[in-house]
């Protein structure tokens, strides 16, 4: 059963009603459900379907393409020597199909573009020289290598320039969609456990498919990552190596970002990773952002426009906290870690990432979804001289700077019970706000906003928060 994806399905189905041939690009990270979406939407009624071969050379890719041609009805042909001849064979196959829309689905297209293969040139000629002269072709190209699809096809400077009719950037599930998925599979997962699972796996449908009825989230995480033959034990390396050529630079960047919650500047990243400041480094940053592993934002009040880079992928954050370099023989490691210091430190950061992934839901709950706003963060670390003079620092991990003269200063707390606002915590919030207002000369109204699981305990300190959002708000849309 297909969960969510209504907008994406509408895009795919609308191509069947168009008066001209349609080229649609579908991209998104590994395991996010691209192939499942396309097959479910079109009910596997393809005139031709093919998937690129992982790590295959040009000859192997063309051989596999020929096998797909045979499976879809093309017989007695001379083996092609190159991609140009291979696409001519595809034209022969399609010309024999009955009247009506002919849906072509080519999956993992980036893998087919091997070194000096002239694959893109041949695809360009197939589309511009043949398909666009017809009205009955719907070509769906798909790939996990998001940056390749964007840079080589969507932003193509050659014959494919502006040829893509529609594009689908398939995002991970939201918490609401994960809830729908869990309910569909009749999984007994409470809201807190649902959020905890999201903090580990994000909204990647493939990872959620491993959950089983009658098994707790903690037991599932142990089975997937910590048991002797854990099913996803090697997923981290496979994930990055499938998406990026020469993945080591990419992994160096996310490893450095996993150590700092608010993120790093470009200069700080170069120092931390010891990578060269060149086009390779810039390409890695750009492609990690395109794939949703990191986000780029400008810290509030940053006068020199220097951008910050922050790790956003929950699974990567989980990996560096609990898996990288660890060889625990405890097959119940996760169940034994719940509530421990290392778990609590990670949970605070991971819950903040969940909130950042649900920025739209937070704005909706605050009633500001239609208002222009900028989501950013702020921090102030006093110098040694300032500390001697009595200055203290401050940090705000999520700010919603609104066009109506208001800034929501968001605190995010992952607790299994209603959050207790102590006198010292309330004073910390007030002091931080005063430091922020003074340091940034801010004249906007500051609205303290708490995002937590089950609200707060009402006491003499709870009025420090103007808005309180709970898990149901994140699950709402």
């Amino acid at each position: 059963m297909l969960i969510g994806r209504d907008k994406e399905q509408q895009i795919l189905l609308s191509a069947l009603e168009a008066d001209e041939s349609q080229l649609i690009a579908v991209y998104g990270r590994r395991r996010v459900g691209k192939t499942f979406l396309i097959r479910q939407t079109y009910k596997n009624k393809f005139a031709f379907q093919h998937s690129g071969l992982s790590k295959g050379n040009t000859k192997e890719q063309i051989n596999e393409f020929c096998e797909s041609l045979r499976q879809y009805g093309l017989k007695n042909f001379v083996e092609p020597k190159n991609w140009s001849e291979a696409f001519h064979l595809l034209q022969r196959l399609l010309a024999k199909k009955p009247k009506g829309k002919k849906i072509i689905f080519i999956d993992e297209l980036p893998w087919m573009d091997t070194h000096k293969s002239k694959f893109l040139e041949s695809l360009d000629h197939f589309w511009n020289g043949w398909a666009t002269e017809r009205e009955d072709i719907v070509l769906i190209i798909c790939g996990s290598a998001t940056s390749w699809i964007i840079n080589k096809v969507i932003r193509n400077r050659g014959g494919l320039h502006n040829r893509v009719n529609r594009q689908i950037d398939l995002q991970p599930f939201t918490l609401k969609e994960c809830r729908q998925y869990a309910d569909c599979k009749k999984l007994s997962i409470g809201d807190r456990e649902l959020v905890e699972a999201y903090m580990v796996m994000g909204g990647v449908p493939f990872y959620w498919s491993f959950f089983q009825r009658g098994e707790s989230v903690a037991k599932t995480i142990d089975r997937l990552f910590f048991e002797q033959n854990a099913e996803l034990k090697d997923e981290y390396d496979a994930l990055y190596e499938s998406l990026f050529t020469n993945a080591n630079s990419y992994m160096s960047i996310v490893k450095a970002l996993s150590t700092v919650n608010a993120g790093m500047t470009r200069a700080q990243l170069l120092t931390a990773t010891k990578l060269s400041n060149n086009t390779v480094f810039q390409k890695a940053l750009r492609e990690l952002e395109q794939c949703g592993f990191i986000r780029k934002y400008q810290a509030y009040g940053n006068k020199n426009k220097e951008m910050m880079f922050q790790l956003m992928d929950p699974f990567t954050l989980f990996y560096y906290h609990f898996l990288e370099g660890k060889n625990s023989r405890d097959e119940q490691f996760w169940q034994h870690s719940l509530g421990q210091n290392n778990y609590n430190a990670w949970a605070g950061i991971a819950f903040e990432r969940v909130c950042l992934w649900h920025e739209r839901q937070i704005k909706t709950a605050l009633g500001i979804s239609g208002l222009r706003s900028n989501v950013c963060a702020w921090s102030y670390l006093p110098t040694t001289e300032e500390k001697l003079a009595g200055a203290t620092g401050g940090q705000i991990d999520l700010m919603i700077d609104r066009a109506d003269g208001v800034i929501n200063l968001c605190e995010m707390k992952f607790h299994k019970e209603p959050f207790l606002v102590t006198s010292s915590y309330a004073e910390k919030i007030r002091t931080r706000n005063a430091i922020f207002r003074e340091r940034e000369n801010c004249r906007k109204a500051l609205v303290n906003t708490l995002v937590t699981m089950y609200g707060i305990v009402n006491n003499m300190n709870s009025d420090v928060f103007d808005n309180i959002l709970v898990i149901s708000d994140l699950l709402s849309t």
Side-chain angles (χ1 to χ4, degrees), residues 273-284:
T273 60
K274 296 181 172 56
L275 295 172
S276 299
N277 187 10
N278 53 24
T279 55
V280 174
F281 178 74
Q282 181 61 31
K283 178 173 178 283

Side-chain angles (χ1 to χ4, degrees), residues 28-47:
R29 63 171 289 166
R30 170 182 161 98
R31 314 291 208 187
V32 81
K34 302 178 297 298
T35 302
F36 186 74
L37 164 68
I38 295 165
R39 288 176 176 170
Q40 288 290 302
T41 300
Y42 290 125
K43 310 299 182 185
N44 279 320
K45 295 179 181 178
F46 301 113

Side-chain angles (χ1 to χ4, degrees), residues 175-176 358 360-362 364-365 470-477:
L175 277 170
K176 179 182 179 180
H358 291 77
R360 178 173 59 85
Q361 288 80 2
I362 289 174
T364 299
V470 295
I471 181 58
S472 59
D473 293 311
L474 298 186
L475 284 164
S476 61
T477 56

Side-chain angles (χ1 to χ4, degrees), residues 202-466:
V204 179
F206 177 76
Y207 301 155
W208 284 80
S209 71
F210 285 93
F211 282 93
Q212 299 174 359
R213 292 184 65 181
E215 184 177 72
S216 70
V217 167
K219 177 67 174 70
T220 300
I221 294 170
D222 275 327
R223 175 168 56 82
L224 295 180
F225 299 106
F226 298 105
E227 289 185 0
Q228 185 174 0
N229 297 311
E231 295 171 87
L232 294 180
K233 185 176 183 179
D234 300 320
E235 174 64 14
Y236 176 79
D237 289 335
L239 172 63
Y240 280 84
E241 289 171 2
S242 71
L243 292 176
F244 308 113
T245 305
N246 302 319
N248 287 340
S249 297
Y250 299 79
M251 290 189 282
S252 294
I253 291 171
V254 295
K255 181 177 182 178
L257 291 177
S258 72
T259 65
V260 181
N261 188 24
M264 294 182 176
T265 64
R266 180 189 175 98
Q268 289 169 335
L269 267 175
L270 286 166
T271 300
T273 60
K274 296 181 172 56
L275 295 172
S276 299
N277 187 10
N278 53 24
T279 55
V280 174
F281 178 74
Q282 181 61 31
K283 178 173 178 283
L285 283 179
R286 182 179 68 250
E287 293 184 355
L288 283 168
E289 184 183 6
Q290 288 173 339
C291 292
F293 288 95
I294 67 175
R295 74 163 179 145
K296 181 172 65 175
Y297 72 94
Q298 186 177 348
Y300 186 93
N302 195 327
K303 303 297 191 297
N304 59 8
K305 308 294 184 182
E306 191 172 23
M307 304 303 293
M308 299 289 292
F309 297 90
Q310 184 181 36
L311 177 63
M312 285 293 292
D313 180 53
F315 173 67
T316 301
L317 185 69
F318 166 77
Y319 172 83
Y320 279 111
H321 269 76
F322 297 105
L323 297 175
E324 196 258 348
K326 311 287 195 307
N327 291 304
S328 174
R329 295 183 180 180
D330 182 1
E331 294 197 342
Q332 295 180 308
F333 173 84
W334 193 253
Q335 295 172 78
H336 294 156
S337 296
L338 299 179
Q340 300 299 310
N341 290 339
N342 192 30
Y343 171 90
N344 292 336
W346 161 81
I349 298 170
F351 183 64
E352 290 177 7
R353 295 300 187 276
V354 173
C355 294
L356 286 170
W357 273 106
H358 291 77
E359 169 194 324
R360 178 173 59 85
Q361 288 80 2
I362 289 174
K363 289 180 180 178
T364 299
L366 292 172
I368 59 171
S369 58
L371 188 65
R372 181 170 55 84
S373 61
N374 178 45
V375 174
C376 55
W378 173 84
S379 64
Y380 161 59
L381 183 64
T383 64
T384 303
E385 292 78 10
E386 289 172 329
K387 286 181 180 178
L388 291 173
T392 57
Q395 181 173 316
I396 306 169
D397 294 318
L398 175 59
M399 302 173 60
I400 306 175
D401 186 6
R402 296 154 45 173
D404 60 353
V406 174
I407 303 177
N408 288 90
L409 309 180
C410 299
E411 288 284 296
M412 297 156 281
K413 298 295 180 183
F414 183 67
H415 281 255
K416 61 182 179 181
E417 297 174 349
F419 180 64
L420 176 64
V421 184
T422 63
S423 297
S424 59
Y425 183 77
E427 183 59 29
K428 177 183 174 182
I429 294 294
R430 295 187 182 98
T431 301
R432 180 205 63 185
N433 289 6
I435 293 171
F436 170 74
R437 190 177 289 283
E438 179 183 0
R439 291 289 305 178
E440 303 301 334
N441 193 26
C442 178
R443 294 182 174 83
K444 290 189 173 184
L446 303 181
V447 176
N448 291 323
T449 302
L450 176 67
V451 186
T452 188
M453 291 295 299
Y454 303 115
I456 63 174
V457 176
N458 289 319
N459 61 13
M460 61 184 295
N461 304 306
S462 55
D463 64 354
V464 72
F465 288 108
D466 305 288

Side-chain angles (χ1 to χ4, degrees), residues 173 177-191 193-194 197 201 205-217 220 223:
F173 280 165
E177 289 166 330
C178 288
R179 165 55 69 204
Q180 292 172 342
Y181 183 86
D183 292 346
C184 180
K185 291 191 69 175
K186 296 181 170 57
L187 303 174
S188 300
I189 299 179
D191 287 346
E193 289 70 31
L194 185 86
M201 303 177 182
F206 177 76
Y207 301 155
W208 284 80
S209 71
F210 285 93
F211 282 93
Q212 299 174 359
R213 292 184 65 181
E215 184 177 72
S216 70
V217 167
T220 300
R223 175 168 56 82

